[in-house]
Amino acid sequence: MFLIKKRMANQDELRTLVINAVCEEDNNDLALQKMLDALRNIILEEKKDGTEVTNEDVILVRNALTIIKENVDNADFSVDDLSARLGMHRTNLYRRLKQACNETPIRLIRKVRMEKAYYLFMREPIYVSQVAYSVGYRCPKNFSRHFREHFGCYPHQLLKRQKTEIDQ
């Protein structure tokens, strides 16, 4: 039970660090570095097969997150674009990201988009469709489905909860 609570605390800390790194308007290298350090610690804790996290893994994740951050609002940005910008084949990118941070490239892109959306919702109450378009979704319905998968509630439920907290 202690390990589960510790893991959940690490994920909450990582979520905060990801939001800070991804959502900063300027390129905040310190926030990105803190997030990568937390990610590395979580990876080290969760690696059960005894393999080590190398500097190449950290550099790959840093570069991938930087590229994703630059293209978070681009609806046409895909795994192919990410792999081309990183200079590797998409199969190699999949394998190396899965090994480095236990995430597939598409899930990493989606995670960054969802954290940016959460940040936008918390900053000010705005329409779900506006947030969906600003984080690279063409269809608000798909955005809502992915948001629910990631956070466990639909965006409108989050906005409703936020509104009731403001009213109290």
Side-chain angles (χ1 to χ4, degrees):
M1 188 66 162
F2 174 73
L3 290 175
I4 293 172
K5 287 182 179 178
K6 184 175 180 183
R7 183 174 181 207
M8 302 249 328
N10 285 343
Q11 288 176 342
D12 289 340
E13 176 186 349
L14 181 61
R15 172 172 288 152
T16 303
L17 294 170
V18 167
I19 289 171
N20 290 340
V22 171
C23 301
E24 290 293 323
E25 298 302 323
D26 54 279
N27 273 340
N28 191 347
D29 291 333
L30 181 63
L32 187 61
Q33 187 59 44
K34 284 182 182 178
M35 189 232 10
L36 289 170
D37 290 342
L39 180 64
R40 184 179 194 154
N41 291 337
I42 290 171
I43 292 168
L44 286 172
E45 287 178 11
E46 292 183 356
K47 287 251 182 183
K48 292 179 176 67
D49 58 359
T51 58
E52 288 189 20
V53 177
T54 63
N55 271 348
E56 291 88 24
D57 293 340
V58 174
I59 290 169
L60 173 68
V61 173
R62 177 186 301 136
N63 291 341
L65 287 173
T66 303
I67 292 168
I68 294 168
K69 179 182 173 184
E70 291 169 0
N71 294 285
V72 74
D73 60 343
N74 182 359
D76 294 325
F77 186 70
S78 66
V79 175
D80 289 330
D81 298 326
L82 178 62
S83 62
R85 294 272 310 268
L86 288 170
M88 62 177 60
H89 192 271
R90 65 180 287 149
T91 317
N92 289 337
L93 176 64
Y94 178 89
R95 182 180 49 78
R96 288 193 54 202
L97 277 179
K98 191 73 173 166
Q99 177 186 356
C101 62
N102 202 26
E103 290 286 349
T104 63
I106 191 67
R107 294 200 45 88
L108 189 62
I109 292 169
R110 191 175 297 155
K111 184 178 281 192
V112 170
R113 286 181 170 167
M114 291 298 109
E115 296 299 339
K116 176 75 174 191
Y118 184 82
Y119 169 78
L120 292 173
F121 282 130
M122 291 297 109
R123 195 174 67 182
E124 62 182 277
I126 57 178
Y127 293 111
V128 173
S129 59
Q130 288 176 315
V131 173
Y133 297 135
S134 67
V135 295
Y137 279 84
R138 287 191 180 103
C139 177
K141 184 176 179 179
N142 286 339
F143 167 75
S144 292
R145 183 172 46 88
H146 290 153
F147 192 91
R148 182 172 187 273
E149 289 171 4
H150 190 75
F151 292 109
C153 69
Y154 288 108
H156 70 274
Q157 293 171 326
L158 179 71
L159 290 173
K160 194 181 292 185
R161 191 177 323 142
Q162 182 182 8
K163 187 177 187 295
T164 57
E165 288 175 4
I166 291 173
D167 290 342
Q168 292 178 357

